[in-house]
Amino acid sequence: MEQYNDFKEVVGSDFQIWPGVELDILEDGRRGHLLVIVCPESAKKLGETVTSVSKGKTPDNFYISIDDVLANFDSLNPIYVAHYKQKKPDLTDKDIERISEKTQYKNRVLKEATNSISAGIFLSHGHSSIYGSDVQNWNKYQKSHAKNLPDLRLPVESFEQFCLLLNKDNVAINTLLDKKHPEAITIKPFKEDQPFDLTVYDDINIFFGSKGTGKSDILKAIAKHYSSKGVSARRFESGSEKLHDVFDLSGKKLQLDLNDFDISYCVKEIDFLKKSQEVDVTSLSKYRQFFSASLTNKKANKILAKDFPKENVQTANRAFDEVNSVYERFIDFKNYLESEESLENLIKSDKLEKLIESIRDILTDLNKSRSDKFVNNKTVFFV
């Protein structure tokens, strides 16, 4: 509650903050997360309820059942937002249906998706869904979290208004639409019919209708109306032929210099591929001569220049890069442990020394493995 009040004081009227809590749900041995959000006027009651149900518990060992959530929180007229599907830990469809059946506000039960695409898919299948952001670092909020969030098409002025939208309340929806500065226009899209009035908004307007019902004629009439008033209006009709004509989808008129985009034309590489030829096929007699020959030269035996295994240069190179990458990461971690002074206040010195000593042993083993992989890599390369 103190944290909520601090936020409200700092934010002021810049944006809305609604009080809520994220609960660990335990049902049939399964865990899931459920957000309980209430109107600002019920913040104090929410704080008292949270204190009551969490008495004697810590954030690490607290959990609550769905029935207990409804018994304690439903009287606050909340919005329930359940982690769903890929949003882990999630509640099942059965769990969410149970909440919907027992709460007094069935339209306020939402399924939280991991991104806007998933939310759109859920909505198209009849699921009430919402998408938000789990903030890990507020310093990165504007650059990472905020820019990925979708914009609200309608301004939400209060918790109660949002609940009316969830209920698909016509009065609330029309009230919000009226704030979009509607304009009544008169058009005559069909020659044989009388003109009719149409209300358009300074936003996205959508007309629904089956094919052949006159949607294109309505668009023509709207464009003509605004053009006659000196407003620039463009109309686009979907269709494969017109798409190709208008946007040159085949790229016949496309002219650009890849160098302007720092993209290489790969002239040398393409020329090399054009000039490449297959090598002559090695005769079987050559293979027989190679495998039947016995090397007796002591120097050859000393440098292991015989009986080479069939190895791939790229495979050996990848093996060296892999162990080298692991070695460098352990070096970075060791340097961090030895240079970060704040660790001495967080980790006991004897444990920290043991950890550093263990990492040094691991680095010794990795360095030997790195040397072996390097030798093998170069051996295969020169062979």
Side-chain angles (χ1 to χ4, degrees):
M1 188 64 197
E2 293 177 359
Q3 186 186 54
Y4 172 69
N5 288 331
D6 290 341
F7 275 129
K8 278 208 313 180
E9 182 178 354
V10 173
V11 168
S13 60
D14 289 344
F15 55 85
Q16 299 178 51
I17 296 183
W18 298 343
V21 61
E22 186 169 17
L23 300 172
D24 280 314
I25 305 297
L26 185 64
E27 286 289 326
D28 300 329
R30 295 176 286 97
R31 287 189 176 274
H33 280 184
L34 178 69
L35 279 69
V36 180
I37 305 169
V38 302
C39 67
E41 287 74 16
S42 299
K44 184 177 179 181
K45 291 182 179 179
L46 175 65
E48 294 171 351
T49 304
V50 171
T51 301
S52 175
V53 299
S54 62
K55 187 176 181 179
K57 299 287 186 178
T58 69
D60 294 325
N61 61 20
F62 173 84
Y63 61 86
I64 189 172
S65 66
I66 290 177
D67 289 338
D68 288 339
V69 170
L70 294 166
N72 288 278
F73 293 95
D74 208 55
S75 61
L76 301 178
N77 305 330
I79 294 173
Y80 296 108
V81 182
H83 282 200
Y84 188 62
K85 296 296 183 183
Q86 291 85 3
K87 184 74 175 180
K88 305 295 182 181
D90 61 322
L91 295 179
T92 64
D93 286 309
K94 183 179 178 182
D95 296 332
I96 299 174
E97 289 174 4
R98 187 173 177 183
I99 298 173
S100 299
E101 290 173 357
K102 296 191 174 184
T103 182
Q104 55 183 327
Y105 296 102
K106 304 184 186 302
N107 292 329
R108 298 188 187 183
V109 181
L110 308 178
K111 298 174 180 179
E112 184 179 6
T114 55
N115 53 57
S116 56
I117 296 177
S118 296
I121 294 173
F122 295 156
L123 288 168
S124 67
H125 286 79
H127 302 268
S128 296
S129 183
I130 196 169
Y131 160 54
S133 64
D134 292 328
V135 180
Q136 304 294 331
N137 187 337
W138 281 101
N139 293 325
K140 298 180 180 179
Y141 180 76
Q142 283 186 306
K143 293 183 178 180
S144 58
H145 295 283
K147 71 177 183 179
N148 295 322
L149 290 176
D151 293 330
L152 293 175
R153 298 309 307 171
L154 296 174
V156 177
E157 296 181 353
S158 66
F159 178 88
E160 291 78 10
Q161 189 184 67
F162 182 71
C163 291
L164 290 175
L165 292 176
L166 292 178
N167 294 335
K168 296 180 175 60
D169 184 270
N170 288 332
V171 175
I173 293 174
N174 289 331
T175 299
L176 291 177
L177 286 176
D178 288 341
K179 294 182 179 181
K180 287 289 184 178
H181 305 295
E183 178 185 2
I185 65 174
T186 301
I187 59 175
K188 187 180 179 182
F190 313 115
K191 295 181 179 180
E192 65 275 10
D193 294 335
Q194 293 295 324
F196 66 85
D197 296 330
L198 186 68
T199 301
V200 295
Y201 298 85
D202 57 345
D203 203 314
I204 298 175
N205 295 265
I206 302 177
F207 298 90
F208 293 94
S210 302
K211 186 175 182 179
T213 54
K215 297 187 299 298
S216 297
D217 293 327
I218 293 176
L219 287 179
K220 291 178 183 178
I222 293 175
K224 181 179 180 181
H225 170 83
Y226 282 105
S227 297
S228 64
K229 296 175 63 176
V231 178
S232 176
R234 294 185 61 192
R235 176 179 56 84
F236 167 75
E237 294 182 29
S238 62
S240 59
E241 294 182 359
K242 291 192 175 183
L243 278 175
H244 281 284
D245 294 340
V246 175
F247 294 102
D248 186 29
L249 297 183
S250 60
K252 294 179 179 179
K253 302 177 182 178
L254 180 64
Q255 294 182 354
L256 54 86
D257 188 347
L258 295 183
N259 294 320
D260 295 337
F261 302 93
D262 294 328
I263 301 175
S264 172
Y265 279 96
C266 301
V267 175
K268 294 182 179 179
E269 290 81 358
I270 294 174
D271 185 61
F272 172 77
L273 292 174
K274 287 182 176 179
K275 294 179 179 179
S276 63
Q277 297 178 350
E278 292 185 2
V279 298
D280 294 335
V281 178
T282 304
S283 63
L284 291 176
S285 60
K286 293 287 186 181
Y287 281 104
R288 182 178 180 182
Q289 179 181 359
F290 174 79
F291 287 108
S292 62
S294 175
L295 295 178
T296 57
N297 190 293
K298 293 182 179 181
K299 291 184 178 179
N301 288 329
K302 186 175 181 180
I303 63 173
L304 304 177
K306 69 167 189 172
D307 301 333
F308 292 104
K310 295 181 179 179
E311 292 190 40
N312 187 291
V313 175
Q314 294 181 346
T315 301
N317 191 35
R318 282 196 299 268
F320 170 73
D321 289 342
E322 182 179 0
V323 69
N324 194 47
S325 175
V326 173
Y327 177 83
E328 291 176 352
R329 291 188 180 185
F330 269 89
I331 284 290
D332 292 340
F333 187 45
K334 182 179 77 68
N335 292 338
Y336 168 77
L337 294 176
E338 293 176 343
S339 61
E340 185 62 36
E341 296 179 357
S342 61
L343 292 177
E344 296 178 358
N345 299 324
L346 302 173
I347 305 174
K348 292 182 179 180
S349 58
D350 57 334
K351 291 185 177 181
L352 188 59
E353 290 175 1
K354 288 182 180 179
L355 177 59
I356 294 175
E357 187 61 29
S358 298
I359 292 177
R360 287 173 178 167
D361 292 338
I362 293 173
L363 285 172
T364 301
D365 295 338
L366 286 173
N367 195 36
K368 182 179 182 306
S369 177
R370 197 167 62 130
S371 299
D372 294 339
K373 298 293 185 184
F374 178 80
V375 172
N376 182 60
N377 180 29
K378 295 305 178 183
T379 301
V380 174
F381 177 83
F382 284 112
V383 171

